[in-house]
Amino acid sequence: MEENKKIYYERGTEELKLQNMIAHKLVQEYNYSSPDEIDKKIEIINELFGKVGINPSIEHNFHCDLGYNIHVGDNFYAGYNCTILDMAEVKIGNNCMIGPNVGLYTAGHSIEPKDRNKSGYAIPIHIGNDVWIGGSSVVLAGVSIGDNSVVAAGSVVTKDVPANTVVAGNPAKVIKSIS
């Protein structure tokens, strides 16, 4: 995944700042929409995200960096307080469910202290079809999660998850195969 690593500057270019501001305004509009304004919310998500399948559903208090790097398939669901740091692409397949308080973080910073706060990197996250990510889990930069997999609640996913498996823990480890 290192070849997909993108470097960005924390204070950002003027273009990046503008794109971030546009996303934040759309996110704010989304979060302050009435729960019964379903068509309006879907319209906002279609404007914000890079690609949206049919029947998306995202609960209140959603947050992202840019929005246009997020690509979701059909029947996407995200629970309350979902945060997607999309400085790089986040691709999510069909029929995926994300529990409450989940973070998908493409962004990171150097472990070296010198100038750590001045720049960062971003590596794409890819989530297959029919994946369930349990509440309060975190998926870190560069991770791919295979089709039909489950991430147990409270897990921290630091490495790729094979298809048809259940992972749990910090760091997440395979605990079961799904037939």
Side-chain angles (χ1 to χ4, degrees), residues 6-34:
K6 291 176 19 179
I7 302 298
Y8 67 91
Y9 295 94
E10 195 60 28
R11 305 296 177 241
T13 64
E14 289 306 312
E15 181 182 350
L16 188 59
K17 288 178 188 175
L18 176 63
Q19 292 167 341
N20 183 253
M21 185 64 63
I22 291 167
H24 284 185
K25 287 180 179 180
L26 287 168
V27 165
Q28 182 179 32
E29 184 180 356
Y30 184 87
N31 286 329
Y32 285 100
S33 297
S34 175

Side-chain angles (χ1 to χ4, degrees), residues 34-100:
S34 175
D36 62 354
E37 295 180 289
I38 296 167
D39 290 341
K40 177 182 178 183
K41 293 179 103 156
I42 289 173
E43 185 178 303
I44 294 167
I45 289 301
N46 275 298
E47 185 177 348
L48 179 63
F49 287 8
K51 178 187 172 285
V52 180
I54 61 168
N55 196 34
S57 179
I58 301 171
E59 300 292 353
H60 180 74
N61 205 26
F62 171 77
H63 296 281
C64 67
D65 286 322
L66 302 170
Y68 60 77
N69 281 328
I70 301 170
H71 308 274
V72 300
D74 296 341
N75 305 309
F76 171 72
Y77 173 81
Y80 298 101
N81 305 315
C82 179
T83 298
I84 301 177
L85 300 184
D86 66 313
M87 294 304 291
E89 179 182 65
V90 176
K91 188 173 182 183
I92 301 171
N94 295 323
N95 307 309
C96 289
M97 298 185 304
I98 295 178

Side-chain angles (χ1 to χ4, degrees), residues 131-135 137 139 145 149-153 155 157 161 165-168 172:
V131 171
W132 174 22
I133 300 175
S137 293
V139 178
I145 299 176
S149 292
V150 175
V151 175
S155 296
V157 185
V161 174
T165 59
V166 178
V167 298

